[in-house]
Amino acid sequence: MSLRSVRNTYEPGRRPVFELTARNTSGGDCKVDLGPKGAVLTITQAGAEDPYWSSADCPKGPGSLQYRVPANSAITYTVTWDRKPSAPECGTPPAGSAKPGTYLVEAKAKGFSKVQTSFVLDSD
């Protein structure tokens, strides 16, 4: 599995977009869950301990999205972040949106190693 930010830097008002790619190097088809609870993405501001946003906190739609990955092939799942914080179990998140700075996005999915990348939210 790999994770990349579509852009290294996002201007104010532009939503960050991430691509999570699951690669199947085996000779047979396999299934992978890339839903918001199956492949958990978290976004943390550099230097902070707690995630600012997590796909598992309050997913819109199904928490599980099963995909078939053909042998020796890959699929890519795209996630767009609205820059808003999240709160566990659909609690009320803090008001506001992410401040300018460097952020780390991390993905964890069953059967795969944790992957991460960084991106920058630019100031005005």
Side-chain angles (χ1 to χ4, degrees), residues 4 19 21 23 30 37 45 47 61-62 65 67 80-81 87 90 94 97 99 108-109 116 123:
R4 79 176 196 95
E19 293 179 343
T21 301
R23 186 166 304 284
C30 71
K37 289 193 172 192
Q45 188 165 20
L65 295 171
Y67 291 92
T80 302
W81 178 46
C90 295
S97 61
K99 305 222 179 307
K108 291 186 243 180
Q116 59 188 27
S123 58

Side-chain angles (χ1 to χ4, degrees), residues 28-109:
D29 294 357
C30 71
K31 285 186 181 175
V32 62
D33 183 357
L34 294 180
K37 289 193 172 192
V40 177
L41 267 69
T42 56
I43 297 173
T44 307
Q45 188 165 20
E49 289 186 28
D50 296 324
Y52 187 77
W53 178 86
S54 171
S55 66
D57 279 349
C58 192
K60 310 249 186 294
S64 176
L65 295 171
Q66 296 285 336
Y67 291 92
R68 184 179 64 82
V69 185
N72 299 308
S73 184
I75 62 159
T76 299
Y77 181 69
T78 303
V79 176
T80 302
W81 178 46
D82 65 4
R83 296 182 174 230
K84 303 285 185 200
S86 65
E89 298 179 18
C90 295
T92 303
S97 61
K99 305 222 179 307
T102 301
Y103 288 78
L104 179 70
V105 58
E106 183 176 278
K108 291 186 243 180

